[in-house]
Amino acid sequence: MPAHATVIAVNRYSHAVWRRNVLVWRRLMWPSLTTNVLDPLIFLFAFGYGLGAVLDQVGGMDYLSFVVPGMMCYAAMFAASFESTISTYARFSLQHTWDAILATPVTLTELMLGEMSWAATKGAFSACCVIVVGLIWGGVPYLPGVLLALPVLALGAVCFASCGLVATAHAKTWDIFAYFFTFWVTPMFVFSGTFFEVTRFPWFVQAIAWALPMTHLISVVRPLTAGATLDPWIALGHLGYVAALAVAAFTLARYRFGRRLFD
Amino acid sequence: MEGAAAKTPVIEVEALEKRYGAVHAVRGVSFAILPGTCVGLLGPNGAGKTTTMRMIMGLTHVTAGRLRLFGEAPRDLGRGLRERVGLVPQEDNLDPDLSVRQNLEVYGRYFGIEAGQVALRVPKLLDFMQLAERGAAKVMQLSGGMKRRLIIARALISNPELVILDEPTTGLDPQARVMIWRRLLDLKRDGKTLLLTTHYMEEAQRLCDRIIIIDGGKVLDEGTPQQLIDRHVRGHVLEVAKPLPDGFVEDGLERNDIGDAVLYYASDPAEVTRRLPRDATYLHRAANLEDVFLRLTGHSLRQGG
Ligand SMILES: Nc1ncnc2c1ncn2[C@@H]1O[C@H](COP(=O)(O)OP(=O)(O)O)[C@@H](O)[C@H]1O
Ligand SMILES: [Mg+2]
């Protein structure tokens, strides 16, 4: 098969998996939309009034402009992580949906690409809800930057989804996801600069923070939406790290699932 | 050309083996299945039937041996081959988040079948499996028999040449079972090749042209139901309860001790009855595949290995 035909086929079959998830989600769309918009609103209300009053300026910008991009990244990270772990594991292990799909022409790589791209879609969707809230409430002063931030957030969501699949590929029971949230999601929530600058932490926490993809993502999204200066080479470095981690994580997850399912 | 192509086995396995770590699930299985036939893989639980089917479907790697589908060695990306096979798995893996109709539609997409084609096939398949009124129902609302029928319909979405059915009727009531048998016979009439596993001798006898008896990961024998009966248990079975009557001379009879009774196999029942005292009680019946199985493995098909 010529290379381009393979790529098109990969798209078609992983797209079928992606569409299956969209179909199921459509029934839950309104509650999902509501919570995705309400959650950041409640957050902003509380933090805006609470912390915003105390912290006037953070990192050279008003607190709202600082925290809203952080929340965009957080929303993308949380939704993509949840979907690629808890939800994917349910389809894999509880409902045997994967077994049914693998008996069709869909390959494991395509199945995983479908699941990963769906988790990333949910992550990007959640981030968009925060963007909408930010546009209403305030916190996104630079509109063209938001447009640039969208693909960046999507890349971040791909990375978080791929990392989630690594956990799912290793999961024998649901217990592993407790560790995943404690040692992966929560640190990215608190140490990656969502609510405070990373530089406030002692050096060893900063070292950990820079290993996390979230820190790199926020470092790009925040200057974009705030309209601050951003060195394109530095931005490329951050995005390169996120992309490399996504590829490495997906490859590892593919290897693990392959061993697990076929050996 | 036509004749040669028709004789290429749909499935051909040679010395097929599977190890799951320390578990040697399949230990060198060989058989060939010709197009248009229905072959039954018969064996107790743990015999290696499901594992054999999963290897054929590419759902688990082959540890050793050779496997050919439609005359070709399937590779990891053997998409062309997979489009020609439908699987009815042993356990229910219908999509619980989707309706009956959606289960078929979504499955059609996994096969890369275009939407227009799927839309044509779905109502026909629902009709065929007598699920037409249940199209909008949730999978959870279906009875066990309906779920099984939906899984069969789903396996047919790509109009496959080969259908592999892993215990399609286990746990169903007799009516539901008979309905599925009729449909499988329809498929056979359409020229499809069927490979099925079952615990039910009657099912095997009704549907299968050939039977492969498998136990402990090995093929014990194969042939048509009649060949197997003739070869292993003659035509008749006489069951004599223990203790055996005084003066009964067993020498030269084919026997099988089943604990509280002894089974004697004979092509003519008189071979046994004339040796029995006049007042002795015994049961006489035609030999069936269950007897073949008991004879070959020393245990019955349902009780497991
Ligand atoms: N994924 C697996 N991992 C380890 N052992 C397995 C696995 N699947 C099946 N087995 C073992 O392989 C043997 C054959 O199982 P199986 O093929 O399911 O038999 P059958 O379908 O005839 O009941 C059994 O001993 C079973 O416990
Ligand atoms: Mg089985």
Side-chain angles (χ1 to χ4, degrees), chain B residues 144-164:
Chain B
M146 289 189 219
K147 279 188 187 163
R148 232 38 216 154
R149 269 140 61 190
L150 180 56
I151 295 178
I152 295 175
R154 189 183 68 175
L156 299 173
I157 192 77
S158 65
N159 192 19
E161 293 158 58
L162 167 66
V163 187
I164 295 180

Side-chain angles (χ1 to χ4, degrees), chain B residues 49-50 90 166-167:
Chain B
K49 305 180 297 291
T50 298
Q90 182 174 346
D166 199 354
E167 299 189 19

Side-chain angles (χ1 to χ4, degrees), chain B:
Chain B
M1 276 313 287
E2 184 79 333
K7 284 209 182 78
T8 306
V10 173
I11 302 173
E12 203 179 358
V13 300
E14 252 179 67
L16 204 62
E17 278 187 56
K18 178 70 191 186
R19 283 177 198 272
Y20 296 108
V23 180
H24 205 171
V26 175
R27 309 162 176 247
V29 162
S30 305
F31 57 82
I33 293 175
L34 293 176
T37 59
C38 175
V39 176
L41 210 50
L42 245 68
N45 281 327
K49 305 180 297 291
T50 298
T51 304
T52 303
M53 287 181 157
R54 289 179 68 83
M55 281 193 278
I56 294 168
M57 288 301 296
L59 288 170
T60 190
H61 287 153
V62 171
T63 307
R66 205 176 75 123
L67 164 63
R68 281 182 176 272
L69 267 182
F70 304 104
E72 288 177 52
R75 293 269 137 63
D76 285 342
L77 263 174
R79 193 142 19 227
L81 294 181
R82 284 163 161 271
E83 281 166 3
R84 299 161 71 181
V85 190
L87 175 70
V88 175
Q90 182 174 346
E91 59 181 27
D92 161 26
N93 60 16
L94 289 166
D95 202 322
D97 297 322
L98 303 175
S99 73
V100 168
R101 189 173 297 117
Q102 285 173 333
N103 257 280
L104 299 181
E105 289 165 353
V106 167
Y107 218 64
R109 281 207 288 265
Y110 298 146
F111 280 87
I113 308 167
E114 55 172 288
Q117 268 295 318
V118 173
L120 285 178
R121 286 181 197 177
V122 167
K124 280 188 198 156
L125 285 173
L126 288 177
D127 237 19
F128 181 64
M129 292 314 298
Q130 290 177 20
L131 288 165
E133 312 92 77
R134 310 296 306 217
K138 294 252 158 58
V139 164
M140 315 257 200
Q141 300 164 340
L142 300 183
S143 69
M146 289 189 219
K147 279 188 187 163
R148 232 38 216 154
R149 269 140 61 190
L150 180 56
I151 295 178
I152 295 175
R154 189 183 68 175
L156 299 173
I157 192 77
S158 65
N159 192 19
E161 293 158 58
L162 167 66
V163 187
I164 295 180
L165 305 107
D166 199 354
E167 299 189 19
T169 64
T170 296
L172 302 188
D173 58 58
Q175 279 134 303
R177 194 172 295 151
V178 168
M179 188 262 153
I180 289 182
W181 290 350
R182 289 218 188 93
R183 292 294 91 96
L184 296 183
L185 288 170
D186 287 341
L187 293 178
K188 213 169 115 180
R189 213 166 296 128
D190 281 354
K192 294 198 192 303
T193 309
L194 306 179
L195 173 63
L196 69 92
T197 67
T198 179
H199 289 298
Y200 304 110
M201 285 301 166
E202 196 192 348
E203 183 164 311
Q205 228 146 354
R206 289 264 284 260
L207 299 176
C208 300
D209 305 307
R210 292 184 75 74
I211 281 164
I212 299 166
I213 293 180
I214 162 171
D215 192 26
K218 284 189 182 145
V219 173
L220 299 183
D221 200 3
E222 73 162 288
T224 66
Q226 199 54 52
Q227 279 171 345
L228 290 174
I229 289 168
D230 293 345
R231 197 176 301 153
H232 297 284
V233 291
R234 316 285 192 82
H236 300 267
V237 180
L238 290 103
E239 182 174 335
V240 183
K242 285 189 186 171
L244 297 176
D246 290 333
F248 175 43
V249 185
E250 304 178 288
D251 296 356
L253 290 178
E254 297 225 24
R255 71 194 294 277
N256 191 3
D257 195 322
I258 57 166
D260 51 359
V262 179
L263 303 180
Y264 298 92
Y265 306 110
S267 32
D268 177 2
E271 283 175 45
V272 181
T273 50
R274 68 181 152 78
R275 303 188 192 206
L276 284 168
R278 205 169 291 273
D279 59 344
T281 57
Y282 59 87
L283 276 169
H284 169 215
R285 58 179 170 77
N288 60 31
L289 282 172
E290 189 89 44
D291 298 304
V292 174
F293 196 80
L294 196 60
R295 193 79 211 282
L296 282 174
T297 66
H299 50 82
S300 92
L301 189 60
R302 305 267 189 94
Q303 86 194 24

Side-chain angles (χ1 to χ4, degrees), chain A:
Chain A
M1 212 175 354
H4 69 273
T6 311
V7 171
I8 290 166
V10 164
N11 285 340
R12 170 152 50 128
Y13 292 99
S14 43
H15 186 65
V17 175
W18 183 85
R19 279 185 67 182
R20 179 259 169 221
N21 292 334
V22 174
L23 187 64
V24 174
W25 180 77
R26 263 200 339 214
R27 285 186 310 182
L28 308 165
M29 189 176 74
W30 289 110
S32 172
L33 201 69
T34 314
T35 52
N36 270 300
V37 171
L38 275 182
D39 267 359
L41 264 178
I42 293 168
F43 248 82
L44 281 179
F45 182 79
F47 275 67
Y49 278 92
L51 277 179
V54 188
L55 310 163
D56 205 12
Q57 287 268 309
V58 181
M61 54 185 86
D62 64 285
Y63 190 62
L64 209 53
S65 306
F66 180 89
V67 81
V68 167
M71 286 176 56
M72 290 176 197
C73 298
Y74 174 70
M77 188 269 290
F78 190 85
S81 298
F82 192 93
E83 186 65 29
S84 60
T85 53
I86 309 278
S87 306
T88 302
Y89 187 67
R91 290 189 284 272
F92 164 72
S93 142
L94 200 63
Q95 307 181 353
H96 305 286
T97 310
W98 278 34
D99 235 10
I101 296 175
L102 289 172
T104 71
V106 178
T107 64
L108 175 59
T109 304
E110 289 159 354
L111 169 56
M112 287 177 59
L113 279 172
E115 292 281 17
M116 186 276 279
S117 59
W118 167 243
T121 304
K122 278 196 94 169
F125 172 79
S126 290
C128 285
C129 289
V130 180
I131 290 176
V132 171
V133 169
L135 290 174
I136 299 165
W137 188 272
V140 277
Y142 188 59
L143 277 179
V146 172
L147 292 180
L148 279 175
L150 270 175
V152 174
L153 285 162
L155 173 69
V158 164
C159 179
F160 298 128
S162 302
C163 293
L165 285 182
V166 173
T168 308
H170 287 84
K172 293 266 192 289
T173 63
W174 298 93
D175 300 346
I176 189 177
F177 300 119
Y179 296 112
F180 176 79
F181 278 84
T182 303
F183 293 109
W184 179 253
V185 173
T186 305
M188 288 201 276
F189 183 47
V190 296
F191 296 137
S192 287
T194 318
F195 299 108
F196 345 93
E197 283 180 290
V198 177
T199 49
R200 286 171 160 260
F201 294 111
W203 68 269
F204 61 92
V205 177
Q206 289 192 40
I208 294 170
W210 285 108
L212 301 170
M214 181 79 160
T215 316
H216 295 270
L217 188 67
I218 291 178
S219 303
V220 177
V221 172
R222 182 168 286 144
L224 282 178
T225 62
T229 50
L230 173 65
D231 184 329
W233 290 108
I234 291 180
L236 224 58
H238 287 307
L239 296 181
Y241 181 80
V242 174
L245 194 65
V247 172
F250 189 87
T251 310
L252 176 62
R254 170 64 182 81
Y255 171 78
R256 253 324 282 171
F257 270 126
R259 293 295 304 267
R260 215 176 145 172
L261 286 162
F262 298 134
D263 275 4

